[in-house]
């Protein structure tokens, strides 16, 4: 019997009117839930994972499954776009079985925990920041009916229903001490969990995070969950995990979903040399900043099986990059993309349109930029001010309303830069995509 159920609630992953594309979008499971489930099992619980979107489940269907299981605890991970559906699940559970304790965590809670708990009374406890160690102390306290005030890293409801926030716990420094993600709890893993089309060279595919944290201070980014200090799994631990995935599940490609995989060249060099000396039949892809890569490191990465690297390019305008506090210039980006291309690694450019300060001149600069650099593919998002990011705090209560939470998925212009309507931004969005894919070399 499952005594704790972890839920990734349903949320909009494709633009309205394009549901026919859903089967080729990203269907990777939540690494966070897999780690929490593994930790729960390690301390004696019997967990279950529900990936709502991947199983095509509505909030009502998720609640029905949980009510049939009757667990002691439900843990729901929250991205901003999924908050309202999570609240529907919690409301149904609360109305029909008030004995089930409903826990929430994830990026949205780490950035807007108090506001969310205040709005949705069916959430019992919010877990702030990294959940693995907090989870153990929290479950023990609830089971033993001791005061939650001694559990670090939570927001809870006191006897009078008022909200209380406890002290922030230290970061998990030794990532190697965490258990392997509980991939075995996913039905039909790995075959039912492919990334977006063109994001992998062969299947089966798995995702994995080998580090946490990011020291950079981009205005549009929320680092409230893992913080600014980077912590790593050791190269040996990463290698052992890849070997396990290969032997146990036949994984042929691994996507590293770290915020910044190539943060320390020495670590990446050590990891690459380990793979070169002890080959695994597996390719991999990762993320990097344009100012954290070196040509010699990229060549080693290629030899070690790196298939694709994603760079956060953001814009072709140096003015906008400065506004974003991106700490990079387009000339640096152009050089890094060329280095990766010359090393034989596919390059994906991650860009956004509509950041505050965007002009028709900056849009033209971005069009020219993506046409002249040797990108393999491009992911253009619509600027989204996420809770927890500095730019959200600057715009909040002016252009952004709480009702926009369901639209904060990078596919809606919830904010319009001065001088643009939403229709005009949508037009420019299509024009940039056309400019990229109509390049002579395509």
């Amino acid at each position: 019997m499952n005594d704790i159920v972890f839920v990734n609630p349903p949320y909009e992953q494709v633009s309205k009117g394009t549901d026919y594309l859903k089967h080729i979008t990203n269907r990777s499971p939540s690494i966070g839930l897999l780690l929490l489930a593994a930790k729960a099992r390690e301390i004696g619980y019997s967990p279950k994972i529900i990936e709502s979107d991947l199983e095509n489940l509505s909030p009502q269907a998720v609640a029905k499954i949980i009510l049939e299981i009757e667990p002691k605890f439900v843990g729901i991970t929250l991205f901003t776009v999924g908050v309202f559906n999570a609240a529907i699940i919690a409301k149904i559970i609360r109305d029909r079985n008030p004995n089930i304790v409903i826990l929430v965590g994830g990026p949205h809670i780490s950035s807007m925990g108090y506001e969310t708990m205040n709005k949705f009374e069916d959430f019992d406890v919010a877990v702030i920041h990294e959940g693995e160690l907090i989870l153990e102390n929290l479950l023990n306290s609830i089971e033993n009916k001791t005061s939650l005030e001694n559990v670090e890293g939570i927001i809870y409801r006191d006897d009078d229903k008022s909200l209380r926030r406890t002290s922030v716990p230290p970061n998990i420094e030794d990532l190697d001490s965490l258990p392997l993600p509980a991939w075995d709890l996913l039905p039909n893993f790995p075959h039912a969990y492919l990334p977006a089309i063109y994001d992998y060279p062969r299947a089966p595919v798995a995702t994995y995070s080998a580090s946490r944290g990011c020291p950079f201070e981009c205005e549009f980014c929320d680092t409230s969950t893992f913080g600014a200090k980077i912590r790593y799994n050791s190269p040996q631990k990463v290698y052992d995990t890849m070997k396990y995935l290969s032997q146990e599940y036949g994984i042929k490609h691994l996507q590293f979903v770290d915020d910044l995989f190539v943060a320390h060249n020495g670590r990446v060099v050590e990891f690459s040399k380990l793979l070169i000396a002890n080959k695994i039949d597996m390719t991999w892809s990762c993320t990097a900043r344009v100012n954290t890569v070196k040509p010699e490191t990229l060549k080693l990465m290629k030899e070690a099986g790196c298939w694709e690297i994603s760079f956060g390019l953001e814009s072709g305008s140096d003015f906008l990059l400065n506004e974003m506090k991106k700490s990079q210039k387009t000339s640096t980006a152009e050089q890094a993309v060329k280095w990766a291309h010359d090393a034989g690694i596919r390059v994906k450019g991650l860009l956004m349109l509509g950041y505050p300060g965007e002009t028709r001149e900056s849009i033209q600069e971005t069009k020219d930029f993506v046409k002249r650099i040797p990108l393999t593919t491009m992911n253009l998002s619509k600027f989204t001010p996420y809770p927890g990011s500095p730019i959200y705090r600057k715009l909040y209560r002016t252009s952004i309303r709480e009702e926009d939470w369901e639209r904060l998925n990078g596919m809606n212009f919830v904010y319009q830069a001065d001088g643009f309507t939403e229709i005009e931004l949508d037009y420019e969005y299509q024009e940039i995509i056309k400019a990229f894919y109509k390049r002579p070399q395509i």
Side-chain angles (χ1 to χ4, degrees), residues 30-33 35-36 77-80 104-113 127-134 153 165 168-173 175 209 211-214 221-231 259 386-390 393:
S30 165
I31 284 292
L33 285 190
L35 282 166
L36 287 170
T77 186
L78 294 184
F79 292 89
T80 300
V104 290
H108 179 85
I109 289 297
S110 291
S111 61
M112 297 194 76
V127 176
I128 312 295
H129 307 299
E130 297 175 301
E132 292 88 0
L133 297 188
I134 297 171
R165 181 167 185 160
V168 177
N171 287 331
I172 300 173
E173 295 295 336
L175 297 187
S209 178
S211 66
R212 291 181 176 181
C214 180
C221 198
D222 170 27
T223 59
S224 53
T225 300
F226 294 138
K229 182 182 179 181
I230 298 187
R231 294 149 288 139
D259 288 333
Y386 289 107
S389 66
R393 291 190 288 271

Side-chain angles (χ1 to χ4, degrees), residues 216 218 220 260 288-292 311-334 336-337 350-351 369:
F216 294 93
C218 303
F220 54 82
L260 186 55
R289 285 178 58 97
V290 297
N291 48 11
T292 64
F311 288 119
L313 305 178
E314 318 310 345
S315 173
S317 162
D318 282 327
F319 168 77
L320 275 186
L321 292 176
N322 186 60
E323 289 291 296
M324 297 172 184
K325 295 186 179 177
K326 185 67 182 176
S327 301
Q328 69 185 44
K329 294 185 177 295
T330 53
S331 57
T332 309
E334 193 164 349
V337 170
L350 309 177
L351 296 104
F369 179 62

